[in-house]
Amino acid sequence: MQQLIARARLVALYVILIAPFVIWGAIHALESSNNSPIDWVGPEFPERQHYDAFVGLFGHGDAVIASWPGCVVTDSRLDKLMSTLRNSRAFLNADGVSSFESVVCGREVLLQMSRPQTSGDFAQQPASRSEDSLDNEDSAAGSGGLAERRRFQPQEAIKRLQGTLIGADGETTCVICTFTPAGLRDRAVVVHRIRRAIELVCETSDEDIHLAGPVIDGLTVDEASHRSLTRYAGPSAIIILVICWLSLKDPIAAGVVFLTAVACQCLILAVIYFSGERLSALLIILPPLVQVLAVSGGIHLMNYYLNALEHLEPRQAAIDAFHKGWLPSLLSLGTTAMGTASLMISELRPIRLFGIYGTVGILLAAASVLTFIPCAMMLIGRRRSDRPRALDEIPSGAKTSSPWSQLAGILTVRNTPIVITLCGIMVAAGLGLPDLKTSIRIETLFPHDSRIMRDYAWLEEHLGALVPIEVLVRFGPNAELNDRMRMDILWQVNDVLEHQPHIRSTTSALTYLPPLPSMKSIPATLRTGLLNRAIFSARPGFEQLHCLTHDNGEEIWRITAHVGSLDPLDYGQILSRITQSIRVAMRESLQDERCALTIETSGIMPLVHQIQGQLLTDLFASLLSALLVITITMTIVEAGLLNGLLAMVSNLFPIVTAFGVMGWLQHPMDIGSVMTASVALGIAVDDTLHFLTFFRRALAVHGTSRLQAVCHAYDHCGRAMIQTSVSCGMGLLVFALSDFVPTSRFAILIVCLLGLALLGDLLLLPAILLSPAGRFFEPLRDSTPANVPPESPATAGVPGSQQTHDFASHSSTPRENQPVSAQLH
């Protein structure tokens, strides 16, 4: 005993010594974040490779689009704003490098298009220019080229830019800042400074500034996910503490369990930080999840301790609790760890990291619960004589009229209809699984009334669609086409895109190509030569505008089509329709070897579409792998293949029902919802194993019927199963109030799954055990004791019948004639 006490004191000492490092790591983990769909997949992901190749050709698309009421092409203050964004020290890093790769304003582009064109006119200007200064420059760069003598009429230039840099009203414009990698690292600071610059230079308020784009998406996810944790972690902890107190009826015991859970939460945050990882929007929910799971395991173990206190000294009670609780605790948290571990197979980095750190967190919770609680109670535990008698101490004879026995009696009579009904619900809901969809679109991340959604709606109403679909027209090194022929092909592809139903506008070299005269009076040969020369003269400008580039001898022209970010669109169908339409319209050119032509979709949209598909693939892959591992575990525990499969029916019930209903309702799953299936499966199996453990123990006693065994399982773990589900559900339900939709949906869906799992374990599983299928769970016996009366049709399975009464109260000397409760204790 002295050695055990010494070990407990050493554990306490070590906890005190490492606590500062754990707290320091946890705090720093909360300070860092990194959320961008582009980073969800690694470089080995095929669509990521295509996107990286696109970025290598045309540059990054990490941009901020800014506009506000009064941001119009005639506002000269935009010139000063552009100069500030390009030259101010506020947007330079320590090495003097700008945070922006480029800064574009619709006003500047309009002025450049409205004056005589030269080969370098579309280049980014080093400083802003006023309208007067632009108009006073040389009206022509020379007289030798057709392109150098032509200019856009203002209305024609506005028409070309409408839907992208200029709104439908012909006046509203915007500023687009494309970030460098260095700027992305400090995006929160840079975006704040952009807002301040607009406020000061353009004399507008922060509430009127509307920002959108990939940078804003990632930054808003960072802020919303952190706000969810900081705002709701406190209320969640209070709810958990109250549940501990109500469950254990002892302030010291409740405090020990609660502090153990808090320690587990800090531990997983410290592990994330010291392993070099940064918090993502998904990992934000992991600390509260680990906390409630630790509370669940701690309540079970502490109940063993409080029960033992009735007949043992506190130190001996702690040892006894450990001996009784280590196996069910490991089994409980182990099955949950199997569920999270199944997420490691995902190709999406956030889900894979959640699987890794979730498994580590659950294992840490298991180790902490089995170490901290026994050691703490050995050192500070005290006897309580006024504690209400625990459930396990209620005499068996008093249980025959309990609600659990009455429920068991109903299930004995009605087990077949109940099994058929619940399984029918599961099958009917399961028919909706093929219609299950996933989405990582902006509207699945934030509520409709959030600021970012209002900003997107305002920008799309006053400017145009914001989601780009990139189409690359490639001419091989062997293409036998002059510039005019290539431009004709570009025009044909652009025409196909403009006739697609969901595409609102397009941008390409055609947008900036100066208007050319008809030249009908000029001979065809000379006209072709002049057109080729005009297009050739404009090429440098096209390259500076990222509309044209070269790669390994290929000439690549870029067309950007724009679709709405808030429209209920299926990007996969849009991409497929675009590809098919282009193939049909350009069939002859694609087959002509002289053209050496290939056309493909590229950019961020195909990557987003593949990530959405990967979400659904990962959901089923992780769920199937978890089901396989857990089913194998169940068959081993139940010592039979058929037994294990029957036991898994109650575990499949919540998963199939919940996700099938989502499919029927056409409710898209976000990245947070994908993880709930495997997590909930692990928690559901926990209750199933507890129930079957007590059921098997009762059946092991000679003369015990399945009804009596179910009553015994109800009496000994029914209440604990409810406490576990309530503690996990209520501790996470508070996060349903989060304005970050994945966190909110994760919490709501977990609570729904826990409720369905509890229904399956307390109703469907006992009904199966009491049905004819339950005979497979009965152990093989050589003989039946003669002193056990057989069930008669009149009394079989009826609570309060003579047989149940004999089972509960018989106290003869032979062990097989003692009550099940006495024999199991």
Side-chain angles (χ1 to χ4, degrees), residues 745-766:
R745 286 181 177 171
F746 178 87
I748 294 174
L749 193 52
I750 277 287
V751 172
C752 292
L753 286 167
L754 287 175
L756 289 171
L758 191 63
L759 179 65
D761 286 325
L762 291 182
L763 198 61
L764 180 57
L765 178 61

Side-chain angles (χ1 to χ4, degrees), residues 212-214 217 442 452-460 466 565-566:
D217 296 347
I442 188 68
I452 188 173
M453 296 297 290
R454 295 197 305 270
D455 287 350
Y456 266 91
W458 191 94
L459 289 169
E460 294 209 333
L466 299 177
S565 62
L566 304 181

Side-chain angles (χ1 to χ4, degrees), residues 423-436:
C423 289
I425 292 174
M426 180 174 63
V427 171
L431 295 177
L433 290 176
D435 297 323
L436 199 60

